[in-house]
């Protein structure tokens, strides 16, 4: 059973461009979580999605950030008009249910904004 | 609200010495607690987890942690450090829908 997959693993964007990060959950998992790790910090929760629904986006910045988890295909975290402060590692996790299920983490996408 | 505090952002030990990484939690309900290891530019690897069964939890790579309710602690230990243990370690507690992570402890192993 393949684990959580994220791509790309590394992404470089210039200021003002858009970044799209993809997450494919483990087989059989319909719950996806996104976390951000700023340099020298721990992971911080951003958003929790089920198929076609955003359940909790309390950790998402109010502007420029959006997330989706369509019926078909991976979950997407989109960052519009990136700024240097968006440079971070973005981790996705998945679980078969919530809230009592363990989350399994992907390898992360490292975003660098130049 | 649940939270974890990791004491010591940097810890250095000699190879072969005891490793002790501290984590204290705050939770109004019985907590589920985790320790993860992260090597440079890599993802998180689960070392061990506490899910209200045995209070002494054994994990991978010789690590273990003891849940102490009276001290609200979940410290990570390893009897003998190896050079390969040099990494960053994160304690986490499961909240509603999310994991809450500590700020991490970077472990340095001295030859």
């Amino acid at each position: 059973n393949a684990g959580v997959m994220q791509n790309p693993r590394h992404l470089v964007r210039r200021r003002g461009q858009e970044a799209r990060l993809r997450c494919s959950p483990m087989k059989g998992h319909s719950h996806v979580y996104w976390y951000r790790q700023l340099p020298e910090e721990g992971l911080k929760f951003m958003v929790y999605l089920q198929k076609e629904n955003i359940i909790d986006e309390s950790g998402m910045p109010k502007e420029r950030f959006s997330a989706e988890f369509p019926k078909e295909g991976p979950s997407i975290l989109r960052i519009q008009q990136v700024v240097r402060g968006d440079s971070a590692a973005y981790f996705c996790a998945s679980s078969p249910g919530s809230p009592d299920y363990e989350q399994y983490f992907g390898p992360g996408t490292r975003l660098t904004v130049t | 609200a649940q939270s974890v505090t990791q004491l010591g952002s940097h810890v250095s030990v000699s190879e072969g010495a005891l490793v002790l990484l501290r984590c204290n939690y705050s939770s109004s309900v019985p907590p589920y607690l985790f320790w993860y290891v992260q090597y440079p530019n890599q993802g998180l690897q689960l070392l061990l987890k506490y899910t209200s069964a045995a209070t002494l939890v054994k994990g991978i790579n010789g690590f273990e942690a003891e849940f102490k309710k009276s001290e609200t602690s979940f410290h990570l230990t390893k009897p003998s450090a190896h050079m390969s243990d040099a990494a960053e370690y994160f304690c986490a507690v499961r909240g509603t829908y999310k994991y809450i992570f500590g700020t991490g402890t970077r472990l340095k192993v001295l030859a």
Side-chain angles (χ1 to χ4, degrees):
Chain A
N1 187 7
V4 177
M5 300 179 69
Q6 291 188 246
N7 67 81
R9 295 291 307 277
H10 299 273
L11 182 62
V12 179
R13 285 287 178 265
R14 292 198 183 96
R15 281 177 294 172
Q17 292 185 319
E18 178 179 284
R20 282 193 179 208
L21 288 63
R22 295 174 184 76
C23 169
S24 296
M26 288 179 67
K27 188 176 181 180
H29 289 193
S30 58
H31 298 247
V32 166
Y33 314 79
W34 286 94
Y35 294 80
R36 179 167 66 173
Q37 183 181 28
L38 293 170
E40 306 299 320
E41 294 187 16
L43 279 70
K44 297 276 176 60
F45 168 80
M46 298 181 74
V47 61
Y48 161 44
L49 309 103
Q50 294 179 24
K51 286 284 188 181
E52 300 183 280
N53 286 303
I54 296 175
I55 307 302
D56 181 350
E57 56 181 348
S58 59
M60 286 272 275
K62 292 290 184 280
E63 298 178 354
R64 303 187 296 107
F65 285 72
S66 62
E68 63 177 12
F69 189 17
K71 188 176 180 181
E72 302 290 339
S75 175
I76 307 286
L77 179 68
R78 182 185 292 112
I79 311 172
Q80 296 178 302
Q81 299 175 352
V82 296
V83 301
R84 288 244 172 91
D86 297 331
S87 295
Y90 292 83
F91 290 92
C92 167
S94 74
S95 69
S98 190
D100 295 330
Y101 290 86
E102 182 177 337
Q103 296 179 18
Y104 295 82
F105 285 83
T109 294
R110 278 161 180 81
L111 172 66
T112 301
V113 179
T114 61
Chain B
Q2 288 149 309
S3 65
V4 291
T5 301
Q6 290 185 244
L7 300 175
S9 58
H10 292 80
V11 170
S12 293
V13 300
S14 298
E15 192 174 20
L18 171 72
V19 176
L20 170 61
L21 304 181
R22 300 177 188 274
C23 174
N24 288 89
Y25 70 89
S26 173
S27 178
S28 57
V29 298
Y32 279 25
L33 295 159
F34 306 82
W35 274 101
Y36 288 88
V37 62
Q38 185 180 35
Y39 296 97
N41 295 318
Q42 295 193 22
L44 298 177
Q45 182 179 12
L46 179 65
L47 281 175
L48 49 81
K49 59 185 176 184
Y50 169 75
T51 56
S52 75
T55 56
L56 183 61
V57 182
K58 293 189 183 299
I60 62 172
N61 301 340
F63 284 94
E64 62 182 36
E66 186 172 7
F67 174 75
K68 290 187 177 180
K69 185 177 179 180
S70 61
E71 299 177 9
T72 62
S73 68
F74 190 56
H75 300 333
L76 182 71
T77 60
K78 181 173 180 178
S80 177
H82 295 159
M83 297 298 289
S84 60
D85 294 327
E88 187 143 26
Y89 292 79
F90 292 96
C91 180
V93 63
R94 192 182 71 189
T96 303
Y97 303 141
K98 67 186 98 172
Y99 283 20
I100 297 108
F101 286 84
T103 51
T105 297
R106 192 175 299 276
L107 176 66
K108 187 175 182 179
V109 181
L110 307 171

